Structures are given as structure tokens and as C-alpha cells.
Amino acid sequence: QPSLRFIGDLGFRLRPISTWLEVNPKPNGGSLLRIYRDIRFSSDKTPYKTNIGMHFPHAGSRNEVHGPSFYFHIEPGASFLAGGAWQPDKLSLAKIRDAISWNATDWKKAIRGLNLGGSALTRPREAIRAITQ
């Protein structure tokens, strides 16, 4: 219940950032991710997660999971906010790269002080440096 209230309250705060972010305080199928772990292939059979995960996708995205979104992770000693697109399709990835290369100055301002990373990029810092120079 506290997480669902937090999501409801956060919706009002995210509105000025973008009206396209979907903030859904429903207990099932909304922004709050499930509390159960997938233990089928894990050696750790603990049934519950030790974190709270919240997902806020872009409303215009055709694919909610792979489209642009924000992810909020709350866990003792390991909380973080992430944003981006997870494993975008080739066309979406090309659009993202084109937008970065055409707006290199704005991109540099936007990422100043952020910790960039990603499992899909083997050398994200070198790729960003090459694009923005």
C-alpha cells in the first residue's frame, strides 16, 4: 500500500517533466513491479524480492518493455533511478543514435555528472566521446 500511494503521489510530480509518462497506481498490471522472484533457474530459492521496483514507460511506445521509460529501484543501500530504452529494436536504436549525434552539445549537458552504462555497449564512454566530438 505505501508503494502504491508513492506511485500515485509521484504521478503529480512527473507530470511537469513529461505528460507522456504512464504512472499507474494499480496493484496489478500498473507501475509497481511484482514482489515475487523468478526462482525457476536460480540457485537462490527465496520467493520474494528485497527491493521495490517501479516502471514508468512512455505512453507512445508500442512495446512497453523495450520502449523508453524510467525505472525506480528502492533497496536498502542500493537505490537508484534509471532511464532509457532496454534492448531497443534496430530502427529505434538508429533514431536514438541520430538524435545524440545531431544534438551533441545538448547531449553533453544532459549527461554531465551521470553514471552512464549499459550491458549492450561494451565501451559506452568511448562511443559517447566519439559521437560528441
Side-chain angles (χ1 to χ4, degrees):
Q1 292 303 325
S3 298
L4 296 175
R5 283 195 309 272
F6 177 81
I7 290 169
D9 292 343
L10 188 63
F12 296 110
R13 301 282 186 178
L14 290 177
R15 186 75 46 209
I17 294 171
S18 175
T19 57
W20 286 91
L21 289 174
E22 287 186 352
V23 180
N24 188 340
K26 289 190 333 186
N28 295 313
S31 294
L32 184 63
L33 300 180
R34 62 184 175 83
I35 62 171
Y36 306 104
R37 295 178 62 247
D38 184 358
I39 59 172
R40 293 176 295 173
F41 308 107
S42 175
S43 58
D44 179 5
K45 300 298 182 187
T46 308
Y48 299 106
K49 295 179 183 178
T50 58
N51 68 289
I52 298 168
M54 300 171 206
H55 183 236
F56 308 105
H58 186 273
S61 177
R62 283 184 238 156
N63 188 334
E64 185 178 308
V65 175
H66 298 284
S69 63
F70 285 112
Y71 172 74
F72 194 35
H73 182 99
I74 301 174
E75 183 175 11
S79 298
F80 63 91
L81 173 66
W86 180 67
Q87 297 182 345
D89 59 82
K90 287 182 181 184
L91 179 61
S92 297
L93 183 58
K95 287 180 179 181
I96 292 167
R97 288 178 174 164
D98 284 346
I100 292 170
S101 65
W102 282 104
N103 301 306
T105 305
D106 292 339
W107 175 251
K108 284 181 183 179
K109 288 179 190 175
I111 64 170
R112 190 175 301 136
L114 296 178
N115 179 16
L116 297 178
S119 58
L121 297 175
T122 56
R123 296 172 299 200
R125 296 227 181 264
E126 288 80 3
I128 291 167
R129 193 174 304 117
I131 290 171
T132 58
Q133 289 181 346

